[in-house]
Amino acid sequence: MKIKFGLLPRIILAIALGVLIGSFAPEWLARVFATFNAIFGSFLNFIVPLIILGFIAPGIAKLGKGSGKLLGLATFFAYFSTIIAGILAFMASTTILPNFMKAGTMSNIDDPEHALAASYLTLEMPPVFGVMSALILAFLLGIGMASTGSKTMVSFFDEFQAVIEKTISYVIIPLLPFHIFGIFGNMAYGGAVAEILSLFAVVFVMIIILHWIMLLLQYTAAGTLNKKNPFFLLKTMMPAYFTALGTQSSAATIPVTVQQARKTGANERVVDFAVPLFATIHLSGSTITIVSCAVGVMLLTGEVPAFGSILPFILMLGVTMIAAPGVPGGAVMAAIGLLESMLGFDQTMIALMIALYLAQDSFGTATNVTGDGALSMIVDRFTNGKKAV
């Protein structure tokens, strides 16, 4: 029987080997690491605007399909839940993380392609357009396709999105462990790896706790509105939670989510409409993870995250992750452009973000899909089980 070596074990192995080898790597090997990281980092910069365009434009276009009132309510509650999750994560991480880490640990570490040695090769890959241009274009095209009902353009962007998803699945994700290996080799060389690994442990535990706090908030609201026990409702949705842990995909978990959401007593017509929609637009668990990791990385570099700068990031994040692909790390890939343009993350910080995120991606996905059951009940309560148009 063939044993599958999943992404998480590969990430863990990459970190361990990076720490070990980076401690005594000769210069020629350091230059090999630097060359790979420089090329891969350039490719990430090139692909990010295409990811934004490929995800958001068809995602917005498809929101135009369906019932008016039900669609509007479902979209509102999904976005509201995502924003609340981001604010919760910011408040918790800025309160807890400074007590467990030394601020400015990474302040003396350069970009990975320059820290250990000079790269053997410099390969420029300028993006076709910038991140903000991609966002504006995606909104413009997405809204235009939704309002005109253009089947040809929707079909084109569906295929374009499939190409981007393949690129992520078969190029970026397989190469990420090597990139993370180089980053941690660099950190081991710079003497900051111990503090960073301790941050991983603290952030991981904090994020899991925040996920469950968010689920309790969602099901308390759903239970109060529908006069049902929130703990019974949460227990009913547990098969969806554990299925998502295994699949790491909201889309793959839809059948189980629908089945369990029906058992909560929500109207079947509402559930059948809302759950597939929430699978692409409701990402409260992923938002908690991204915001918490971002705050942690900012603290490592000596920055003090301010709510005034993080809130716009959270608001944009709730939109940018729409229709994130059903592959591990899809949400953080969609968020890279915002991390760079709004929070000023460099390639080292981006690599840390990716490593932190992928270490618990399945837990974020599980929180997303489990929360879909609560939101379906809330939408059902406000529509009285009818598909209003």
Side-chain angles (χ1 to χ4, degrees):
M1 183 178 69
K2 184 178 180 180
I3 299 176
K4 184 178 180 180
F5 195 51
L7 180 61
L8 179 56
R10 281 182 280 152
I11 294 294
I12 294 173
L13 180 62
I15 293 173
L17 289 177
V19 171
L20 178 64
I21 296 175
S23 301
F24 55 84
E27 183 180 355
W28 69 267
L29 185 57
R31 294 190 66 183
V32 171
F33 300 159
T35 301
F36 175 80
N37 283 336
I39 295 174
F40 188 79
S42 295
F43 180 71
L44 277 181
N45 286 334
F46 171 81
I47 199 70
V48 163
L50 300 180
I51 291 175
I52 291 172
L53 182 62
F55 292 171
I56 298 180
I60 293 176
K62 290 172 184 177
L63 290 183
K65 301 176 181 179
S67 303
K69 182 180 178 181
L70 184 55
L71 174 64
L73 283 172
T75 303
F76 169 77
F77 285 119
Y79 186 70
F80 180 76
S81 174
T82 300
I83 300 309
I84 293 298
I87 294 174
L88 172 66
F90 172 80
M91 294 174 63
S93 56
T94 52
T95 302
I96 296 171
L97 293 184
N99 299 316
F100 291 92
M101 57 185 293
K102 181 181 178 181
T105 299
M106 288 175 54
S107 58
N108 295 322
I109 297 181
D110 298 326
D111 288 343
E113 63 264 35
H114 301 297
L116 294 179
S119 171
Y120 282 116
L121 175 67
T122 300
L123 185 61
E124 296 293 335
M125 302 183 197
V128 178
F129 35 69
V131 170
M132 289 309 299
S133 296
L135 282 170
I136 295 171
L137 184 59
F139 280 117
L140 179 64
L141 293 175
I143 294 172
M145 287 186 286
S147 62
T148 62
S150 173
K151 295 182 180 179
T152 302
M153 288 190 66
V154 170
S155 177
F156 167 80
F157 274 100
D158 281 342
E159 295 183 12
F160 180 68
Q161 184 181 48
V163 170
I164 298 299
E165 288 180 358
K166 290 289 185 182
T167 303
I168 292 175
S169 298
Y170 294 101
V171 179
I172 295 179
I173 294 298
L175 291 178
L176 273 178
F178 296 97
H179 189 48
I180 291 170
F181 166 78
I183 293 294
F184 275 86
N186 174 39
M187 293 174 184
Y189 181 84
V193 73
E195 291 86 351
I196 292 166
L197 289 178
S198 67
L199 169 68
F200 267 54
V202 173
V203 169
F204 187 91
V205 173
M206 183 189 72
I207 286 172
I208 300 301
I209 294 173
L210 289 177
H211 284 166
W212 280 97
I213 290 175
M214 189 64 197
L215 287 175
L216 287 173
L217 290 174
Q218 291 169 336
Y219 278 92
T220 298
T224 301
L225 288 171
N226 291 274
K227 299 180 180 179
K228 294 184 178 181
N229 186 329
F231 295 100
F232 168 78
L233 297 174
L234 191 53
K235 179 182 177 182
T236 302
M237 292 300 300
M238 280 300 94
Y241 183 89
F242 289 109
T243 300
L245 280 181
T247 63
Q248 290 185 275
S249 170
S250 298
T253 313
I254 285 175
V256 179
T257 309
V258 168
Q259 174 183 294
Q260 297 308 121
R262 289 175 176 177
K263 293 180 180 180
T264 64
N267 183 278
E268 289 189 7
R269 296 178 66 192
V270 173
V271 169
D272 292 348
F273 176 86
V275 167
L277 176 64
F278 287 144
T280 61
I281 67 173
H282 177 229
L283 295 141
S284 56
S286 299
T287 301
I288 285 173
T289 305
I290 290 175
V291 173
S292 299
C293 294
V295 170
V297 171
M298 291 174 75
L299 289 172
L300 280 176
T301 61
E303 296 182 45
V304 179
F307 184 70
S309 61
I310 293 292
L311 181 59
F313 171 74
I314 294 173
L315 295 175
M316 289 300 299
L317 190 63
V319 177
T320 304
M321 292 191 301
I322 287 178
V327 296
V332 74
M333 289 299 160
I336 287 175
L338 297 182
L339 290 168
E340 292 178 333
S341 63
M342 300 187 73
L343 299 184
F345 276 35
D346 59 25
Q347 288 303 313
T348 304
M349 298 168 76
I350 291 294
L352 272 179
M353 276 291 304
I354 294 172
L356 279 166
Y357 183 89
L358 292 178
Q360 65 75 64
D361 183 34
S362 58
F363 291 95
T365 301
T367 302
N368 294 339
V369 302
T370 305
D372 294 347
L375 295 192
S376 295
M377 294 187 66
I378 293 173
V379 172
D380 180 40
R381 175 67 179 80
F382 279 89
T383 59
N384 297 316
K386 298 178 181 178
K387 273 193 168 185
V389 294

